Amino acid sequence: MTAPWFVPAGERPEGRVRLYAFPNAGGGPASLTGLAAAFPPEVEVWAVNLPGRQARLAEPPRDDLDGLVDDLARDLLATARPPYALFGYCSGALLAYLVCRRLTELSASAGPPPDPGPPPDPGRAAPGSPPDPGWPGSGSRAALVPVQAAERPPLPERLLVGSFAAPDVALLLRRLPSLPSWLFWEQLIELGGVPAEVAEREVLRPILEPALRADFGMLAGYRHVPAPPLPVPVTVLYGARDRSVSRGGLLGWRRQSVHRPSLRELDASHWLAEEAPDRLAAAIIEEIGCVWATA
């Protein structure tokens, strides 16, 4: 049986809006447990469940970014319950952005329902033939509206990105995945590429390293391809003490949406979910609050 691509981070039977969360490199659903707990019952957090970590530790991690994006987008199209939003955290912001872009492409390819054309003229029907049941005048009240094609798949109400620069200007660690283990961890910790609690637990490094290498490998191989701005509003969340992302990198998200981005500064460093889960959840709630108010 294939493991699900997204899993709920706690049961929320009263949830009215879903927030699909993409954690930082090497992270899994458990990485966002503290953040998920900070939301009110109306918000149901679902986390991406990638292979090679936590519940899917026995599976090899994915290293094909394009294929992964396609799998996640198609799963969301099949299972997402609108209204919903996407939240990408740290390097997970790039994955969330690419999934949002793929969702937009898939939705556009569905196209609008076809024009059914003019109704047939009942006066021209062959003698003795029954009236067309699909149009008014047929005598069937259930068929007053012609059959339409499937509705266009729903897009997320908002894309929220945390602690990550716009994809066309983001500084990616292209050499990191190829370094030997000792140097990989030295560089990763020096650059602040993992939360402090992960950096301090050396005993877990052999378990965490395959997923981290795979995730940073996908990042290293990313080459931005210009595309039309998303029709989805974007919120950029960042820490006031984060020195890894420039102001220009944050403002660059305005090129990725037809809507003016919303920038939200939090009292934290790079690791918003670890240092300030309550403030991060509150900011996200404000950004998507109008969604569940009308859900």
Side-chain angles (χ1 to χ4, degrees), residues 56-71:
R56 302 182 68 179
L57 184 62
E59 303 175 48
R62 291 287 291 265
D63 57 7
D64 56 324
L65 183 58
D66 290 341
L68 177 60
V69 167
D70 198 58
D71 286 342

Side-chain angles (χ1 to χ4, degrees), residues 20-114:
Y20 289 94
F22 299 72
N24 54 287
S31 307
L32 298 174
T33 301
L35 176 63
F39 284 100
E42 292 88 351
V43 179
E44 189 179 22
V45 179
W46 285 58
V48 67
N49 185 33
L50 298 180
R53 69 212 71 199
Q54 296 178 11
R56 302 182 68 179
L57 184 62
E59 303 175 48
R62 291 287 291 265
D63 57 7
D64 56 324
L65 183 58
D66 290 341
L68 177 60
V69 167
D70 198 58
D71 286 342
L72 294 176
R74 292 185 182 280
D75 185 79
L76 277 178
L77 284 181
T79 63
R81 184 190 68 196
Y84 71 97
L86 306 181
F87 169 57
Y89 178 46
C90 193
S91 57
L94 178 62
L95 186 56
Y97 159 76
L98 292 174
V99 168
C100 190
R101 194 166 83 174
R102 185 70 178 120
L103 288 170
T104 302
E105 294 168 351
L106 292 171
S107 179
S109 66

